[in-house]
């Protein structure tokens, strides 16, 4: 049973549930338990499974560990504490594991200082891919009572017979950053490892999930708790302290008029705003969404305001581990005025006290915004403060609605990938190494993991057939059997001595991707860049990495050699966009705002040339003004919002929203193509699927070649030929859409794409069809890709439903795109819940401008994009004939 635990225990009840020595230490350090701790201390002692969601600084890590340390201290005092592992703590980040280990060592050391009687020490140890071999051997001989590790290391440990013996006494499993793990294949992988461990040691354990922003919480609870059997959920209590920390945030427009202001004035205003906030605070954390944005902000702040390398720094995944750790240490010490990050600092790594968080551009989801802003105000009673600086009018609406949704306590939903066959194939190989399995026994163990509870038996059997080498056609492609499988006996097990090594060397879900190492001329590693970026460099080009400019000198195989270029202006922008997609829930929130605000404007006469001046005040405040005043945005943002909607209403009379798809036939003055703009406000993942389906239908209906550009707010279908979008044609097109089989159309479309080839390689590597490492030798990504293409053809000849092909399609349809919600949209059109209207415009309408410019944003500079937007806007203003 999944249940919310709504009534906290008193501080006294919570503290009394702890061992006296642990209680004394805690009371001496903290005034009282935080809200999550007032639930967890007692509930964990009672052996309850918990999901705890709470913001940064709420003590959620200690809410689990204090109860565990208390129990272990009771065992130590009773002289029953053995050299065995009682608690396993899992985090997706090695850096977070290091923090936890340090944060455990300090309280344990201090607790023992106050104990005058001889008591056996509670030990903690960390085991990750970075753990030296000598420490691994020491841990095998003397296992810690609390093991701190990662999902991948746990999967290795349960397959290590000697170490597995040390885990037979496990009583607690703590999974941190669950909101990060539960939505991807690393979490799916972990869920199977946890169920395998429970089966292996012959008993269950207390499961505690820790997270900051999760929705729906019931799904998170099911993920951490799993199932007792094929039908029954394990009990789990949900402790929801997500909103217990106060937050203060606003969306800011750097200029009054985002569309008419010059590029220089917008850029100057953004950096002036950043500098002002940085100077007002001791430490500021800035998020930019992309690595290139991070580098650009650091470079410009240093150049414009003379910040030194000792006061501002970049932090992102392409920098070396040493550089990232150095930045984290400076933050902990309070030595940096500002750190600029893409996404790498949004999780719970200890970075000390942050006074203020700035987000540049939209983080694309409510949960991510709350997670990032929540990094400020390190203690629970501090107010988390943040500003979101917008860069265009769509960004403005998106960010304002996002913060308003947070104010209403609305979060985006996340879901674990279901029945991922590539991950399961990996675990079946791991299971076979441990013992001989009966099919029914193995199937039940797998189905206890929440992501596999709906697994079809036929898919499980198909994997056994593939892994046991039943498909002869694969052996010619060097895909050999890794297990034995007896259909009559209904059992499977280990095959060959080499398989064990293959499992250990190829475990995990994160795919290999091509990256070019950037080195100094004396072979010191600085960071990495994408291979595509390297192809654009020529000797003498200057680019920014780790916040510093470097001159490209030469390249050799997979390395780029550079020399420092202090003070030189970059000649080429770094990387391509890594922009995250807009969440579906936030898209619907924006749709609701569009409906309410446009109706209020129309009720006030806007759209009928009876304009109400933005600044004009009367005794009766109009409804549209009340709506704006209720939004978390500054006055500049309110002004831009009003003019944006008013222009759209004056030009078309329609503001598209989630219940009204506007189909606009127009022309882009910068090219000769005819455009069909679908204003479909459902986020990029849905629009990716919807645009492919409609693109095929438009091409078939009009016998035209089409090009497609997608955006979170819609997509463009461009044709060289003129097409008619009259009522008859649109009804025919929508009838085709309503009657279509989206999955069939998408499969046919995707099979011919680079996405299919790349994603199949990922799935093939996870399922050991291709190897990333063979006998200790790393296989190049280039060779992996070549091998995977041959294997894909061979697998298709065996069956189009070959399990790894089936998983590739599932990943593309459900994880990359969002086919289930695309089907919801099509169903809404069929039922009439979602309406559509076709119009023709001489020039693109205001709400289409960013959709059109988005398609060009990968190939033109940002200044050119702004120029394009201004030109489109000027054409609209001429048509309207009145300046707002």
């Amino acid at each position: 049973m999944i249940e919310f635990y709504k009534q906290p225990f008193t501080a006294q009840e919570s503290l009394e549930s702890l061992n006296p020595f642990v209680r004394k230490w805690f009371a001496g350090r903290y005034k009282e338990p935080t809200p999550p701790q007032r639930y967890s201390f007692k509930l964990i002692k009672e052996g309850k499974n918990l999901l705890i969601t709470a913001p940064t600084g709420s003590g959620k890590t200690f809410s689990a560990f204090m109860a565990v340390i208390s129990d272990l201290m009771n065992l130590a005092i009773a002289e029953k504490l053995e050299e065995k592992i009682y608690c396993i703590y899992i985090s997706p980040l090695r850096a977070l594991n290091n923090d936890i280990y340090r944060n455990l060592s300090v309280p344990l050391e201090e607790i023992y200082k106050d104990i005058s009687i001889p008591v056996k020490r509670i030990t903690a140890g960390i085991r990750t891919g970075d753990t030296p071999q000598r420490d691994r051997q020491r841990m095998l001989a003397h296992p810690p009572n609390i093991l701190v590790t990662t999902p991948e290391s746990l999967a290795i440990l349960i397959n290590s017979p000697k170490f597995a013996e040390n885990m037979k006494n496990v009583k607690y499993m703590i999974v941190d950053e669950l909101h990060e793990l539960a939505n991807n294949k690393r979490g799916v992988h972990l869920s199977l490892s946890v169920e395998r461990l429970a089966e292996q040691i012959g008993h269950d354990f207390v499961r505690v999930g820790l997270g900051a922003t999760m929705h729906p919480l019931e799904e998170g609870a099911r993920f951490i708790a799993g199932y007792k059997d094929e039908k029954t959920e394990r009990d789990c209590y949900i402790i929801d302290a997500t909103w217990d920390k106060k937050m203060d945030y606003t969306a800011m427009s750097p200029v009054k008029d985002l569309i008419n202001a010059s590029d220089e004035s917008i850029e100057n205003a953004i950096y002036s705003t950043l500098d002002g906030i940085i100077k007002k605070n001791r430490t500021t954390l800035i998020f930019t969404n992309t690595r290139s944005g991070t580098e650009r902000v650091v470079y410009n702040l240093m150049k414009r305001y003379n910040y030194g390398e000792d006061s501002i720094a970049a932090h992102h995944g392409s920098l070396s581990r040493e550089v990232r750790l150095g930045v984290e240490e400076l933050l902990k010490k309070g030595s940096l005025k500002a750190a600029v990050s893409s996404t790498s600092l949004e999780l719970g790594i200890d970075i000390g006290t942050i006074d203020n968080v700035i987000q540049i551009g939209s983080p694309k989801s409510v949960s991510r915004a709350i997670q990032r802003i929540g990094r400020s105000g390190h203690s629970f009673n501090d107010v988390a403060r943040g500003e979101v600086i917008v860069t265009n009018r769509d960004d403005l609406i998106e960010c304002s609605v996002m913060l308003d949704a947070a104010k209403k306590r609305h979060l985006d939903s996340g879901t674990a990938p279901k029945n991922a066959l590539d991950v399961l194939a990996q675990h079946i190989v791991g299971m076979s190494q441990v013992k001989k399995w009966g099919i029914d026994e193995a199937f039940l163990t797998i189905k206890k993991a929440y992501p596999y509870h709906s697994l079809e038996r036929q898919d499980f059997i198909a994997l056994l057939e593939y892994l046991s080498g039943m498909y002869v056609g694969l052996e010619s492609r060097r895909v050999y059997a890794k297990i034995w499988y007896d259909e009559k006996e209904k059992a499977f097990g280990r095959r060959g001595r080499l398989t064990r090594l293959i499992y250990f060397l190829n475990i995990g879900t994160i795919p290999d991707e091509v990256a070019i190492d950037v080195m100094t001329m004396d072979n010191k590693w600085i960071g990495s860049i994408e291979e595509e970026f390297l192809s654009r460099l020529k000797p003498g080009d200057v680019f920014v990495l780790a916040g510093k400019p470097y001159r490209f000198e030469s390249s050799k195989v997979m390395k780029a050699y550079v020399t420092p270029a202090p003070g030189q202006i970059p000649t080429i922008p770094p990387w391509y966009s890594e922009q995250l997609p807009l969440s579906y829930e936030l898209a619907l929130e924006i749709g609701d705002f569009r409906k309410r605000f446009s109706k209020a404007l129309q009720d006030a006469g806007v759209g009928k040339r009876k304009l109400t001046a933005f600044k004009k005040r009367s005794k009766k405040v109009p409804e549209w003004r009340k709506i704006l005043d209720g939004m978390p945005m500054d006055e500049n943002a309110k002004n831009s919002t009003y003019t944006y909607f008013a222009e759209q209403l004056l030009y078309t009379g329609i503001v598209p929203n989630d219940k009204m798809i506007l189909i606009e036939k127009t022309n882009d003055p910068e090219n000769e193509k005819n455009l069909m703009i679908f204003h479909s406000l459902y986020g990029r993942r849905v629009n990716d699927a919807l645009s492919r389906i409609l693109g095929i239908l438009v091409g078939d209906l009009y016998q035209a070649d089409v090009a497609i550009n997608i955006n979170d707010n819609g997509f463009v279908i461009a044709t060289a030929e003129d097409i008619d979008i009259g009522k008859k044609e649109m009804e025919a097109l929508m009838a085709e859409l309503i009657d279509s089989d989206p999955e069939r159309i998408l499969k046919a479309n995707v099979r011919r794409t680079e996405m299919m080839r790349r994603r199949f390689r990922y799935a093939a590597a996870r399922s050991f069809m291709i190897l990333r490492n063979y006998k200790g030798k790393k296989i190049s990504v280039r060779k992996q890709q070549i091998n995977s293409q041959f294997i894909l053809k061979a697998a298709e000849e065996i069956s189009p439903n070959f399990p790894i092909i089936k998983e590739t399609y599932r990943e593309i349809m459900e994880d990359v795109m969002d086919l289930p919600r695309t089907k919801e949209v099509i169903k809404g059109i069929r039922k009439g819940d979602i309406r559509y209207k076709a119009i023709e415009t001489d020039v693109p309408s205001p709400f289409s401008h960013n959709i059109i410019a988005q398609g060009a944003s990968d190939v033109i500079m940002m200044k050119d994009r702004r120029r394009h937007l201004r030109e489109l806007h000027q054409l609209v203003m001429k048509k309207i004939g009145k300046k707002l």
Side-chain angles (χ1 to χ4, degrees), residues 353-560:
T353 300
I354 301 296
D355 300 314
N356 201 91
V357 169
I358 303 171
Q359 169 71 48
I360 300 176
S362 173
K364 297 293 178 179
S365 82
V366 182
S367 300
R368 197 173 293 111
I370 294 302
Q371 174 82 0
R372 292 179 178 183
I373 293 171
R375 297 293 274 149
S376 67
H378 194 67
S379 73
F380 184 73
N381 293 320
D382 291 340
V383 177
R385 303 186 187 280
E387 295 84 21
V388 181
I389 299 176
V390 302
T391 56
N392 61 63
R393 299 197 292 185
D394 280 339
D395 217 26
L396 163 59
I397 307 302
E398 189 175 301
C399 294
S400 301
V401 173
M402 178 191 306
L403 297 180
D404 189 55
K407 192 169 65 175
K408 297 171 183 173
R409 301 189 172 187
H410 296 175
L411 290 174
D412 322 278
S413 65
T415 183
K418 299 297 193 298
N419 305 319
L421 299 179
D422 52 353
V423 176
L424 180 55
Q426 193 175 121
H427 269 282
I428 289 172
V429 173
M431 293 166 76
S432 74
Q433 296 296 305
V434 176
K435 68 172 189 177
K436 173 183 173 182
W437 287 81
I439 297 302
D440 293 339
E441 175 194 20
F443 191 54
L444 176 59
T445 299
I446 291 163
K447 283 176 72 73
K448 285 180 180 179
Y450 173 64
Y452 290 95
H453 189 63
S454 61
L455 179 70
E456 296 289 341
R457 191 180 183 90
Q458 65 189 36
D459 287 332
F460 175 54
I461 298 299
L463 282 175
L464 292 176
E465 291 172 348
Y466 143 59
L467 290 167
S468 61
M470 286 191 176
Y471 301 118
V472 179
L474 291 177
E475 286 204 358
S476 64
R477 299 302 179 190
R478 297 185 179 181
V479 180
Y480 302 109
K482 295 170 181 67
I483 65 171
W484 63 259
Y485 166 49
D486 191 317
E487 292 178 271
K488 291 182 179 178
E489 189 183 352
K490 293 185 177 180
F492 70 91
R494 179 176 58 194
R495 180 170 183 165
R497 288 177 294 177
L498 189 57
T499 305
R500 177 180 172 82
L501 185 62
I502 287 172
Y503 177 78
F504 283 139
L505 292 177
N506 293 273
I507 202 166
T509 62
I510 301 171
D512 288 342
E513 293 181 329
V514 176
I516 305 299
D517 291 326
V518 178
M519 317 287 292
T520 60
M521 301 304 286
D522 56 356
N523 276 316
K524 181 181 178 182
W525 191 71
I526 301 166
S528 61
I529 57 175
E530 295 174 1
E531 191 172 28
E532 179 65 22
F533 182 67
L534 177 65
S535 70
R536 298 171 62 201
L537 290 176
K538 59 184 184 295
D541 275 338
V542 176
F543 64 98
V544 175
L545 186 61
K548 301 173 187 175
Y550 291 94
R551 183 188 301 104
F552 175 63
E553 302 294 349
S554 63
S555 66
K556 186 176 181 181
V557 193
M558 302 298 285
K559 293 180 180 179

Side-chain angles (χ1 to χ4, degrees), residues 803-814:
I804 308 309
I805 295 176
K806 183 176 180 178
E807 172 54 26
T808 304
Y809 280 122
R810 189 215 61 80
E811 182 175 307
I812 291 171
M813 305 281 189
E814 297 180 14

Side-chain angles (χ1 to χ4, degrees), residues 560-579:
Y561 290 92
V562 300
T563 53
Q568 292 196 28
I569 298 172
T571 59
I572 191 164
W575 296 293
Y576 284 104
S577 174
E578 307 137 29
Q579 190 69 50

Side-chain angles (χ1 to χ4, degrees), residues 321-380:
R321 182 169 176 267
E322 290 71 22
V323 170
R324 295 197 308 272
L325 288 174
V327 173
E328 291 160 24
E329 283 302 316
L330 289 172
L331 282 169
K332 285 178 204 172
K333 294 174 184 176
S335 302
L336 287 178
K337 283 294 291 177
V340 187
S341 174
S342 52
T343 60
S344 54
L345 287 178
E346 71 180 29
L347 297 182
I349 301 170
D350 183 11
I351 52 174
T353 300
I354 301 296
D355 300 314
N356 201 91
V357 169
I358 303 171
Q359 169 71 48
I360 300 176
S362 173
K364 297 293 178 179
S365 82
V366 182
S367 300
R368 197 173 293 111
I370 294 302
Q371 174 82 0
R372 292 179 178 183
I373 293 171
R375 297 293 274 149
S376 67
H378 194 67
S379 73
F380 184 73

